[in-house]
Amino acid sequence: MGLHGDPDDYGLPKVDIVVPDDARELDRDVLAYRRELRQKRRRERWQRIARPFTRYGLAAPFIASAVLVALISGVLMTVVSPRPTTHTVQVPPTGIVHHQPGDIGGGLPAGDLFVNGRRMPVGTLINVAGVVLIVPRGCNCDAAVTHVAQQAVGQRLQTWLIADGRAGKDADDVRRLADTVPRGDAIPAEDPDRVLSTAYHAAPVGLTAVLVGPDRIIRDVVRGVQPDRNLTVRDLQTLHTPS
């Protein structure tokens, strides 16, 4: 058919081809072609980025949201959860035992001591691992104090000498005993209200040793301490480890 669609001598349909006289007339078609290529590349790029999220279908956003909520909840619970104020030890099968201040396994009692005439809370003065020696009136325990203090120095532990009573002579006695300890590693203090002796049931006669860990938890109370007896180096070594 020629121009009306008749096939040519080779059986192919006739095609009208218009060749412009000026190549610049093709600029619009070239720009449209390039725009289509850019759009295609952009679609392919977004498909690559979204592929991990679309792999599991619509469930992926919900899974990611649940994980995020769980992480935030865990952090908030860790930050705002209350901390216990008393020391607890699990004792099966009876459950948890709460130790009160003054008990072995408990903290230091509340109250004030006097150091060089200045009032100081018990927990402020006794703030590291060491041995608290409660010295009763007329103790006559110089040898025992010196022996325990020297052992504490050897284990890098602090020693406190506590005068149990109000009389000025009691304070003078513990200061004199502190002066006998090498390197001055014993701190003398007065306990006019008998805070420590009451809390730990100190013996009215003889030296009472209260062993304090680095967490200020009482490990043991030894009454009637004598030189080379009742209190060993092994007992002191355990004070370096928190309970």
Side-chain angles (χ1 to χ4, degrees):
M1 291 191 301
L3 294 177
H4 299 286
D6 293 337
D8 59 10
D9 296 338
Y10 297 97
L12 297 175
K14 296 289 288 185
V15 178
D16 294 331
I17 299 176
V18 179
V19 179
D21 297 331
D22 189 350
R24 288 177 295 181
E25 297 180 7
L26 296 175
D27 290 346
R28 183 177 302 172
D29 296 333
V30 172
L31 292 175
Y33 175 71
R34 290 177 178 174
R35 185 165 53 252
E36 291 179 1
L37 289 180
R38 287 197 299 270
Q39 292 175 351
K40 181 180 179 181
R41 287 196 297 268
R42 193 177 300 115
R43 286 195 300 269
E44 292 176 350
R45 188 181 306 115
W46 278 110
Q47 288 174 355
R48 287 196 301 270
I49 295 174
R51 187 175 297 120
F53 300 99
T54 59
R55 181 179 302 173
Y56 301 101
L58 295 176
F62 296 102
I63 296 174
S65 300
V67 172
L68 181 61
V69 170
L71 290 175
I72 295 175
S73 300
V75 172
L76 290 177
M77 290 178 63
T78 302
V79 172
V80 304
S81 59
R83 292 178 172 82
T85 56
T86 59
H87 185 69
T88 60
V89 177
Q90 184 70 31
V91 185
T94 58
I96 296 178
V97 176
H98 294 270
H99 296 288
Q100 301 299 323
D103 296 340
I104 295 176
L108 292 164
D112 294 328
L113 303 175
F114 285 84
V115 181
N116 296 325
R118 188 179 66 176
R119 183 184 294 270
M120 183 176 297
V122 173
T124 301
L125 177 63
I126 306 172
N127 57 1
V128 294
V131 184
V132 179
L133 298 178
I134 302 175
V135 184
R137 185 174 302 175
C139 181
N140 296 323
C141 47
D142 299 38
V145 168
T146 301
H147 178 73
V148 173
Q150 288 178 344
Q151 285 184 320
V153 170
Q155 298 301 319
R156 303 184 305 281
L157 296 169
Q158 182 62 59
T159 302
W160 296 270
L161 298 177
I162 309 299
D164 179 24
R166 295 179 178 275
K169 184 176 182 301
D170 297 331
D172 294 338
D173 286 342
V174 296
R175 281 193 288 269
R176 177 182 56 79
L177 289 172
D179 291 338
T180 65
V181 179
R183 293 167 41 192
D185 287 315
I187 299 176
E190 304 171 53
D191 186 7
D193 298 327
R194 308 191 75 238
V195 174
L196 295 178
S197 61
T198 301
Y200 300 111
H201 309 289
V205 178
L207 195 65
T208 299
V210 180
L211 307 185
V212 185
D215 46 10
R216 292 189 289 184
I217 298 300
I218 305 307
R219 301 296 183 79
D220 200 0
V221 179
V222 182
R223 300 173 183 85
V225 177
Q226 299 294 328
D228 300 319
R229 199 178 72 187
N230 300 344
L231 192 60
T232 65
V233 173
R234 181 174 297 178
D235 296 329
L236 300 179
Q237 289 174 342
T238 61
L239 298 182
H240 288 291
T241 305
S243 58

